[in-house]
Amino acid sequence: MTDYFEVHARDGAARIGELRLSAPLTTPALGDDVVEDAGSLWSEARTTPEGSEEALTVLPHRAFPAGTREAVQESFAVDYPDVDFPSAAVVTAETAADYGADAYVLADAVGVVGHASAFVDAVRAVRDATPADTALYLAGVATPANVATLAYCGVDLVDGKFARIKGRQGRYLASDGEYFLEDLDELPCACPACQSGRESFTRGDCATHNVNALAAELARVRRRIRDGRLRDYVEGQARHEAWCTAAFRTLDQQYGFVEERTPVIRDAELLSATEDTLRRVEIQRFADRVTSRYRNRFDRPLVLVPCSARKPYSESQSHAQFHDAINFRAHLVSMTSPIGVVPQELELTYPAQHYDSVVTGRWSEDEIGFVARVLERYLERNDYPKIVAHVPDEGYREVCERVEASLGLDFEYTVVDHPTTDDSLANLRDALDGEMSYRKRTREHSTVRAIADYMFGDGAGDEVFPSGTFQTTARYPKLQVRGTEGEQWATMVPQYGMLAFTLAGARRWVESDAPTKTVEIDSFVPHGSVLAPGVVDASADIRVGDEVVVTGPKAFGVGRAEMSGPEMCGSSRGIAVEVRHVEET
């Protein structure tokens, strides 16, 4: 159980944390001034240090270099004492376990940093084996160019040792790499160490600058994590070192590890600037849920249309013209890179209205392949009497033709030159000639159920909101769901395209056959939030931002998760759930 480290914000594997010393330290951060090493047991026997709340004390340890056989590590394993001061234990991927420390030092960091797969495997092994509310410390490896990638993969503490050594060697570090000091005509930095100018700049000054640059980069990383946009930054920043690019791509392949730690909703814009964006958890999760949970409830033709620069799509000029031509005589689904396909009911659901992409007019093979796979899976799950592809040639048409051939379907193409030309819109109207418009009530009820499917699982919308049991009030996108007698069950939250339940709605959810995300708490009535120590158990599939039901011997409530389910169960500090409504039972 940790007493001196608490996680406050999460962005995938990266976290904003607080090392709770007498002078608290916000992480990711440099640990030089707050870490005290009690020494190695290889050289001599050592007693347990006294420690203090002023520093994080690394307990007496035996470190092993990368590649040491596991049997050797087991033979010289250390029994770490139970102490009542901020402490850190030295571990490797093979020896990592819960030793009751507040932080864990990766002993072989120097041996794995620079090798993407080995680094990701080591970090993941330590993270999986140690409590979620403990810090991970890597010493002797951080530079301004790699520290964003280290933090993205889950590192909380680093030191300036490597940066200082580089400076003494005459290597000037920056966030885009390093330079030989002798090759610099001027200093590309305005930190205090660089103020004297190039002529009087010494190697000692270079060492000081390197640490300053590292500290500045960590401040930038912390800001990015708070904004939920570290990945956007890393996609560009990691290009300065090949192994860093390989590291975040390798982490992308660890979907389960990253997905568990990635919020399901957030306010931040998701920037699609490279093809690596297609492999982001947020993109893959949306595509998976749309193709495995969403169910079309309209008995009308399908109209596929291109996305728009403006989000949500329905507020764009192009989609306003599409809606006028369709007039609710068909089901509208937008095609887009990097999201895939977006049914009209989910156009507000994160990240469908939160992304921006670089538009060149040409789609890459990766983009075409990804969107085609998503559309194919969508059409395998959802049947339509007719499919109209109102799409331009650039990328969209090729996606449709691939899926058309793969599934043996017939698409009707209606675009002439551009989707919003008069001829194209006329063709779209003609393609739907004879179709009846569906009612506003049908559209709103389908939206509520589709969002429930997306949030909770396949069929959840029909389980929680059966036909004839509810009505919708207020105006889209702030729909309210009420029982037929007027009792409010849920509200649609337009910022995220999700549902927020009342206590009555939460009871319906629990009593239905839909999968329930439940947090079991101890015998108390929460007021405002549930802290991790009060959690007895939690559903393993809970993610940050999920709607959850809170139950206990004395309370029943509903709120939003601030931790994943496994983190709630494994943490001893931090807010687990922000409770919206609660009653004593």
Side-chain angles (χ1 to χ4, degrees), residues 399-437:
V399 168
C400 290
E401 289 174 345
R402 286 191 187 185
V403 175
E404 188 179 19
S406 176
L407 298 181
L409 299 173
D410 291 320
F411 288 16
E412 181 175 347
Y413 296 93
T414 53
V415 168
V416 179
D417 296 328
H418 190 274
T420 58
T421 63
D422 290 343
D423 288 344
S424 296
L425 294 172
N427 289 342
L428 178 56
R429 293 188 188 94
D430 292 343
L432 301 176
D433 187 43
E435 298 289 344
M436 299 292 292
S437 298

Side-chain angles (χ1 to χ4, degrees), residues 256-277:
F257 176 80
V258 182
E259 192 276 333
E260 180 182 308
R261 293 160 172 81
T262 302
V264 295
I265 58 172
R266 49 178 138 197
D267 292 324
E269 179 182 84
L270 187 157
L271 177 61
S272 174
T274 74
E275 292 174 13
D276 287 310
T277 305

Side-chain angles (χ1 to χ4, degrees), residues 160-210:
K161 182 185 300 183
F162 190 48
R164 281 192 292 271
I165 291 173
K166 287 278 191 179
R168 293 293 181 181
Q169 294 172 341
R171 298 185 179 232
Y172 186 96
L173 302 185
S175 59
D176 60 352
E178 67 177 56
Y179 305 88
F180 287 108
L181 188 56
E182 291 77 8
D183 293 339
L184 291 177
D185 298 321
E186 58 180 330
L187 303 175
C189 175
C191 78
C194 297
Q195 292 298 304
S196 60
R198 176 66 187 90
E199 295 74 15
S200 59
F201 193 77
T202 67
R203 291 194 173 193
D205 294 329
C206 189
T208 302
H209 153 79
N210 286 353

Side-chain angles (χ1 to χ4, degrees), residues 509-527:
W509 180 19
V510 171
E511 292 168 0
S512 74
D513 290 332
T516 308
K517 298 177 188 256
T518 304
V519 178
E520 297 180 26
I521 62 173
D522 216 331
S523 185
F524 66 96
V525 179
H527 297 286

Side-chain angles (χ1 to χ4, degrees), residues 322-338:
F322 300 156
H323 281 291
D324 286 343
I326 295 170
N327 193 26
F328 302 115
R329 294 178 295 163
H331 182 220
L332 188 69
V333 172
S334 299
M335 297 170 54
T336 177
S337 174

